[in-house]
Amino acid sequence: FPSHDTEVVLIGMLIANFEEIQNSLSGVTDWLGITDTEAEKNAENEKQRKERAIENEKRLQEARERAYNSEQAQYDNKIRLAKAEGKSTYDLEKAKIQGSIRYQQTLKKELELKLNELRINSELIRRGGLTPVADLMDQKISELQGKINTANQAIESAQTDLKILDIDQKKANAEATKKASESSKKRADDKKKAQEHERKGYRDWE
């Protein structure tokens, strides 16, 4: 009976021979056109590459969203503190709104790029006769269009908020200027009255 070490060697040789035979068969079937092992490997590699790219993109989007939400929260805290201290919040509110607009515009551009790419691929796939696959892609196109519409609405709303903020600030500045003018006029009138009273008192004393 063969020893344990001999059995291990024999098993190793069988495995090596099996792999060699398998590779040889793959080469023959590829040559005959029955299979295309290299193409299958390339397709699998490309699939994995795309999956990694999608995952990386998802992580970047999530990180950017977290950063945006954190920035907006910081502005909210600063605005509340400024109001409590009786300070102007115009600059803080304006910066917060502008940050929101920039974020939504960036998001919109990314969505539009994906949308255009999907539309091209969907059309090519439909021409190739893979209608069910194209239909599924069209559903994704519809979802992306909905997200773009939402981003557009957010941008328009923020731009309106910015206009209202500027209008309110101009009103506040005009009101402050008016009050300062009235206060200045009152001080001048009071000074004039005091001087007249002083002159009248001097004449009466004479």
Coordinates of all heavy atoms in Angstrom, one line a residue, residues 111-169:
L111 N -26.5 64.0 -12.3 CA -27.6 63.2 -12.7 C -27.9 63.3 -14.2 O -28.3 62.3 -14.8 CB -28.9 63.7 -11.9 CG -28.9 63.4 -10.4 CD1 -30.1 64.1 -9.7 CD2 -29.0 61.9 -10.2
E112 N -27.6 64.5 -14.7 CA -27.8 64.7 -16.2 C -26.8 63.9 -17.0 O -27.2 63.4 -18.0 CB -27.7 66.2 -16.5 CG -28.9 67.0 -16.0 CD -28.7 68.5 -16.3 OE1 -27.6 69.0 -16.4 OE2 -29.8 69.2 -16.3
L113 N -25.6 63.8 -16.5 CA -24.6 63.0 -17.2 C -25.0 61.5 -17.2 O -24.9 60.8 -18.2 CB -23.2 63.1 -16.5 CG -22.5 64.5 -16.7 CD1 -21.2 64.5 -15.8 CD2 -22.1 64.7 -18.2
K114 N -25.5 61.0 -16.0 CA -26.0 59.6 -16.0 C -27.2 59.4 -16.9 O -27.3 58.4 -17.5 CB -26.4 59.3 -14.5 CG -25.2 59.2 -13.6 CD -25.7 58.8 -12.2 CE -24.6 58.8 -11.2 NZ -25.1 58.5 -9.8
L115 N -28.0 60.4 -16.9 CA -29.3 60.3 -17.7 C -28.9 60.2 -19.2 O -29.4 59.3 -19.9 CB -30.1 61.5 -17.5 CG -31.5 61.6 -18.3 CD1 -32.4 60.4 -17.8 CD2 -32.2 62.9 -18.0
N116 N -28.0 61.0 -19.7 CA -27.6 61.0 -21.1 C -26.9 59.7 -21.4 O -27.2 59.1 -22.5 CB -26.6 62.2 -21.4 CG -27.3 63.5 -21.3 OD1 -28.5 63.6 -21.5 ND2 -26.6 64.6 -21.0
E117 N -26.1 59.2 -20.5 CA -25.4 57.9 -20.8 C -26.4 56.8 -20.8 O -26.4 55.9 -21.7 CB -24.4 57.6 -19.7 CG -23.6 56.4 -19.9 CD -22.6 56.1 -18.7 OE1 -22.5 57.0 -17.9 OE2 -22.0 55.0 -18.8
L118 N -27.4 56.8 -19.9 CA -28.4 55.7 -19.9 C -29.3 55.8 -21.2 O -29.7 54.7 -21.8 CB -29.3 55.9 -18.7 CG -28.9 55.1 -17.5 CD1 -29.8 55.4 -16.3 CD2 -28.8 53.6 -17.7
R119 N -29.6 57.0 -21.6 CA -30.5 57.1 -22.9 C -29.7 56.5 -24.1 O -30.4 55.9 -24.9 CB -30.8 58.6 -23.1 CG -31.9 59.1 -22.2 CD -32.1 60.6 -22.4 NE -33.3 61.0 -21.6 CZ -33.6 62.3 -21.4 NH1 -32.8 63.3 -21.8 NH2 -34.7 62.6 -20.8
I120 N -28.4 56.8 -24.2 CA -27.7 56.3 -25.3 C -27.6 54.8 -25.3 O -27.8 54.1 -26.3 CB -26.2 56.9 -25.3 CG1 -26.3 58.4 -25.6 CG2 -25.3 56.2 -26.3 CD1 -25.0 59.1 -25.4
N121 N -27.3 54.2 -24.1 CA -27.2 52.8 -23.9 C -28.5 52.1 -24.2 O -28.6 51.0 -24.8 CB -26.6 52.4 -22.5 CG -25.2 52.8 -22.4 OD1 -24.5 52.9 -23.3 ND2 -24.8 53.1 -21.1
S122 N -29.6 52.7 -23.7 CA -30.9 52.2 -23.8 C -31.3 52.1 -25.3 O -31.8 51.1 -25.8 CB -32.0 53.0 -23.1 OG -33.3 52.5 -23.3
E123 N -31.0 53.1 -26.1 CA -31.3 53.1 -27.5 C -30.5 52.0 -28.2 O -31.0 51.3 -29.1 CB -31.0 54.5 -28.1 CG -31.3 54.6 -29.5 CD -32.8 54.5 -29.9 OE1 -33.6 54.7 -29.0 OE2 -33.1 54.1 -31.0
L124 N -29.2 51.9 -27.9 CA -28.4 50.9 -28.5 C -28.9 49.5 -28.2 O -28.9 48.6 -29.1 CB -26.9 51.1 -28.0 CG -26.2 52.3 -28.5 CD1 -24.8 52.4 -27.8 CD2 -26.0 52.3 -30.0
I125 N -29.2 49.3 -27.0 CA -29.7 48.0 -26.6 C -31.0 47.6 -27.2 O -31.3 46.5 -27.7 CB -29.9 47.9 -25.0 CG1 -28.5 47.9 -24.4 CG2 -30.7 46.6 -24.6 CD1 -28.5 48.0 -22.9
R126 N -31.9 48.7 -27.4 CA -33.2 48.4 -28.0 C -33.0 48.1 -29.5 O -33.7 47.2 -30.0 CB -34.1 49.7 -27.9 CG -35.5 49.5 -28.2 CD -36.3 50.7 -27.9 NE -36.4 51.0 -26.5 CZ -37.1 50.4 -25.6 NH1 -38.0 49.4 -26.0 NH2 -37.1 50.8 -24.3
R127 N -32.0 48.8 -30.1 CA -31.7 48.5 -31.5 C -31.2 47.1 -31.7 O -31.4 46.4 -32.7 CB -30.7 49.5 -32.1 CG -31.3 50.9 -32.3 CD -30.2 51.8 -32.8 NE -30.7 53.2 -33.0 CZ -29.9 54.2 -33.3 NH1 -28.6 54.0 -33.6 NH2 -30.4 55.4 -33.5
G128 N -30.5 46.6 -30.6 CA -30.0 45.2 -30.7 C -31.0 44.1 -30.4 O -30.7 42.9 -30.4
G129 N -32.2 44.6 -30.1 CA -33.3 43.6 -30.0 C -33.6 43.2 -28.5 O -34.4 42.4 -28.3
L130 N -32.8 43.7 -27.6 CA -33.0 43.4 -26.2 C -34.0 44.4 -25.5 O -33.7 45.1 -24.6 CB -31.7 43.4 -25.4 CG -30.6 42.5 -26.0 CD1 -29.3 42.7 -25.2 CD2 -31.1 41.0 -25.8
T131 N -35.2 44.3 -26.0 CA -36.3 45.2 -25.6 C -36.5 45.1 -24.1 O -36.7 46.2 -23.4 CB -37.6 45.0 -26.3 OG1 -37.3 45.1 -27.7 CG2 -38.6 46.0 -25.9
P132 N -36.6 43.9 -23.4 CA -36.9 43.9 -22.0 C -35.8 44.6 -21.2 O -36.1 45.3 -20.2 CB -36.9 42.4 -21.7 CG -37.2 41.7 -23.0 CD -36.6 42.6 -24.0
V133 N -34.5 44.5 -21.6 CA -33.4 45.1 -20.9 C -33.6 46.7 -21.1 O -33.4 47.4 -20.1 CB -32.1 44.7 -21.4 CG1 -30.9 45.4 -20.7 CG2 -31.9 43.2 -21.2
A134 N -33.9 47.1 -22.3 CA -34.1 48.5 -22.6 C -35.2 49.1 -21.8 O -35.1 50.2 -21.3 CB -34.3 48.7 -24.1
D135 N -36.3 48.3 -21.6 CA -37.4 48.8 -20.8 C -37.0 49.0 -19.3 O -37.4 50.0 -18.7 CB -38.6 47.7 -20.9 CG -39.2 47.7 -22.2 OD1 -39.1 48.7 -23.0 OD2 -39.9 46.7 -22.5
L136 N -36.2 48.1 -18.8 CA -35.7 48.3 -17.4 C -34.8 49.5 -17.3 O -34.9 50.3 -16.3 CB -34.9 47.0 -17.0 CG -35.7 45.7 -16.8 CD1 -34.7 44.6 -16.5 CD2 -36.6 45.9 -15.6
M137 N -34.0 49.8 -18.3 CA -33.2 51.0 -18.3 C -34.0 52.2 -18.4 O -33.7 53.2 -17.8 CB -32.2 50.9 -19.5 CG -31.2 49.8 -19.4 SD -29.9 49.8 -20.7 CE -29.0 51.2 -20.3
D138 N -35.1 52.1 -19.2 CA -36.1 53.3 -19.3 C -36.7 53.6 -17.9 O -37.0 54.8 -17.7 CB -37.1 53.0 -20.3 CG -36.6 53.0 -21.7 OD1 -35.5 53.5 -21.9 OD2 -37.3 52.5 -22.7
Q139 N -36.9 52.6 -17.1 CA -37.4 52.8 -15.8 C -36.4 53.6 -14.9 O -36.8 54.6 -14.2 CB -37.8 51.5 -15.1 CG -39.0 50.8 -15.7 CD -39.2 49.5 -15.0 OE1 -38.7 49.2 -13.9 NE2 -40.1 48.7 -15.6
K140 N -35.2 53.2 -15.1 CA -34.1 53.9 -14.4 C -34.0 55.4 -14.9 O -33.7 56.3 -14.1 CB -32.8 53.2 -14.6 CG -31.6 53.8 -13.8 CD -31.8 53.7 -12.3 CE -30.6 54.2 -11.6 NZ -30.8 54.1 -10.1
I141 N -34.2 55.6 -16.2 CA -34.1 56.9 -16.8 C -35.2 57.8 -16.2 O -35.0 58.9 -15.9 CB -34.3 56.8 -18.3 CG1 -33.0 56.2 -19.0 CG2 -34.6 58.2 -19.0 CD1 -33.1 55.9 -20.4
S142 N -36.4 57.2 -16.0 CA -37.5 57.9 -15.5 C -37.2 58.3 -14.0 O -37.6 59.4 -13.6 CB -38.8 57.0 -15.5 OG -39.9 57.7 -14.9
E143 N -36.6 57.4 -13.3 CA -36.2 57.7 -11.9 C -35.2 58.9 -11.8 O -35.3 59.8 -11.0 CB -35.6 56.5 -11.2 CG -36.6 55.4 -11.0 CD -35.9 54.1 -10.4 OE1 -34.7 54.2 -10.1 OE2 -36.6 53.1 -10.3
L144 N -34.2 58.8 -12.7 CA -33.2 59.9 -12.8 C -33.8 61.2 -13.2 O -33.5 62.3 -12.6 CB -32.1 59.6 -13.8 CG -31.1 58.5 -13.3 CD1 -30.1 58.2 -14.5 CD2 -30.3 59.0 -12.1
Q145 N -34.8 61.2 -14.1 CA -35.5 62.4 -14.5 C -36.2 63.0 -13.3 O -36.3 64.3 -13.1 CB -36.4 62.2 -15.7 CG -37.0 63.4 -16.3 CD -36.0 64.4 -16.8 OE1 -35.2 64.0 -17.7 NE2 -35.9 65.6 -16.3
G146 N -36.8 62.2 -12.5 CA -37.5 62.6 -11.3 C -36.6 63.3 -10.3 O -36.9 64.3 -9.8
K147 N -35.4 62.7 -10.2 CA -34.4 63.3 -9.3 C -33.9 64.7 -9.8 O -33.7 65.6 -9.0 CB -33.2 62.4 -9.1 CG -33.6 61.1 -8.3 CD -32.4 60.2 -8.1 CE -32.7 58.9 -7.3 NZ -31.6 58.0 -7.2
I148 N -33.8 64.8 -11.1 CA -33.4 66.0 -11.7 C -34.4 67.1 -11.5 O -34.1 68.2 -11.2 CB -33.1 65.8 -13.2 CG1 -31.8 65.0 -13.4 CG2 -32.9 67.2 -13.9 CD1 -31.5 64.6 -14.9
N149 N -35.7 66.7 -11.7 CA -36.8 67.6 -11.4 C -36.8 68.1 -10.0 O -37.0 69.3 -9.7 CB -38.1 67.0 -11.8 CG -38.3 66.7 -13.2 OD1 -37.6 67.3 -14.1 ND2 -39.2 65.8 -13.6
T150 N -36.5 67.2 -9.1 CA -36.5 67.6 -7.6 C -35.3 68.5 -7.4 O -35.5 69.5 -6.6 CB -36.3 66.3 -6.8 OG1 -37.4 65.4 -7.0 CG2 -36.2 66.7 -5.3
A151 N -34.2 68.3 -8.0 CA -33.0 69.2 -7.8 C -33.3 70.6 -8.4 O -33.0 71.6 -7.8 CB -31.8 68.6 -8.5
N152 N -34.0 70.6 -9.6 CA -34.4 71.9 -10.2 C -35.3 72.7 -9.3 O -35.2 73.9 -9.1 CB -35.1 71.7 -11.5 CG -34.1 71.4 -12.7 OD1 -33.0 72.0 -12.6 ND2 -34.5 70.6 -13.6
Q153 N -36.3 72.0 -8.7 CA -37.2 72.6 -7.7 C -36.5 73.2 -6.5 O -36.8 74.3 -6.0 CB -38.3 71.6 -7.3 CG -39.3 71.3 -8.4 CD -40.2 70.1 -8.0 OE1 -40.1 69.6 -6.9 NE2 -41.1 69.7 -9.0
A154 N -35.5 72.4 -6.0 CA -34.7 72.9 -4.9 C -33.9 74.1 -5.2 O -33.8 75.0 -4.4 CB -33.8 71.7 -4.4
I155 N -33.4 74.1 -6.4 CA -32.6 75.3 -6.9 C -33.5 76.5 -7.0 O -33.1 77.6 -6.5 CB -31.9 75.0 -8.2 CG1 -30.8 73.9 -8.0 CG2 -31.3 76.2 -8.8 CD1 -30.2 73.4 -9.3
E156 N -34.6 76.4 -7.6 CA -35.5 77.5 -7.8 C -36.0 78.0 -6.5 O -36.1 79.2 -6.3 CB -36.7 77.0 -8.7 CG -36.4 76.8 -10.1 CD -37.5 76.2 -10.9 OE1 -38.7 76.2 -10.4 OE2 -37.4 75.9 -12.1
S157 N -36.3 77.1 -5.6 CA -36.8 77.5 -4.2 C -35.7 78.3 -3.5 O -36.0 79.3 -2.9 CB -37.2 76.3 -3.4 OG -37.6 76.6 -2.1
A158 N -34.5 77.8 -3.6 CA -33.3 78.5 -2.9 C -33.1 79.8 -3.5 O -32.8 80.8 -2.8 CB -32.1 77.6 -2.9
Q159 N -33.2 79.9 -4.8 CA -33.0 81.2 -5.5 C -34.0 82.2 -5.1 O -33.7 83.4 -4.9 CB -32.9 81.0 -7.0 CG -31.7 80.3 -7.5 CD -31.7 79.9 -9.0 OE1 -32.8 79.8 -9.6 NE2 -30.6 79.8 -9.6
T160 N -35.3 81.7 -4.9 CA -36.3 82.6 -4.5 C -36.1 83.1 -3.0 O -36.2 84.3 -2.7 CB -37.7 81.9 -4.5 OG1 -38.0 81.5 -5.9 CG2 -38.8 82.8 -4.0
D161 N -35.6 82.2 -2.2 CA -35.3 82.5 -0.8 C -34.2 83.6 -0.8 O -34.2 84.5 0.1 CB -34.8 81.3 0.0 CG -35.9 80.3 0.2 OD1 -37.1 80.7 0.2 OD2 -35.6 79.1 0.5
L162 N -33.2 83.4 -1.7 CA -32.1 84.4 -1.8 C -32.6 85.8 -2.2 O -32.2 86.8 -1.6 CB -31.1 83.9 -2.8 CG -29.7 84.6 -2.7 CD1 -29.1 84.4 -1.4 CD2 -28.8 84.0 -3.8
K163 N -33.5 85.8 -3.1 CA -34.1 87.1 -3.5 C -34.9 87.8 -2.4 O -34.8 89.0 -2.2 CB -35.0 86.9 -4.7 CG -34.3 86.6 -6.0 CD -35.3 86.3 -7.2 CE -34.5 85.9 -8.4 NZ -35.5 85.6 -9.6
I164 N -35.7 86.9 -1.7 CA -36.5 87.5 -0.6 C -35.6 88.0 0.5 O -35.8 89.0 1.1 CB -37.4 86.4 0.0 CG1 -38.5 86.0 -1.0 CG2 -38.0 86.8 1.3 CD1 -39.3 84.8 -0.7
L165 N -34.5 87.3 0.8 CA -33.5 87.7 1.8 C -32.9 89.0 1.4 O -32.8 89.9 2.3 CB -32.4 86.6 1.9 CG -31.3 86.9 3.0 CD1 -31.9 86.8 4.4 CD2 -30.2 85.9 2.8
D166 N -32.6 89.2 0.2 CA -32.0 90.5 -0.3 C -33.0 91.6 -0.2 O -32.7 92.8 0.2 CB -31.5 90.4 -1.7 CG -30.2 89.6 -1.9 OD1 -29.5 89.6 -0.9 OD2 -29.9 89.1 -2.9
I167 N -34.3 91.3 -0.5 CA -35.3 92.3 -0.4 C -35.5 92.8 1.0 O -35.6 94.0 1.3 CB -36.7 91.8 -1.0 CG1 -36.5 91.7 -2.5 CG2 -37.8 92.7 -0.7 CD1 -37.7 90.9 -3.2
D168 N -35.6 91.8 1.9 CA -35.8 92.1 3.3 C -34.6 92.9 3.9 O -34.8 93.8 4.7 CB -35.9 90.8 4.1 CG -37.3 90.1 3.9 OD1 -38.2 90.8 3.4 OD2 -37.4 88.9 4.2
Q169 N -33.4 92.5 3.4 CA -32.2 93.3 3.9 C -32.2 94.7 3.4 O -31.9 95.6 4.2 CB -30.9 92.6 3.4 CG -29.6 93.2 3.8 CD -29.5 93.1 5.3 OE1 -30.1 92.3 6.0 NE2 -28.6 94.0 5.9

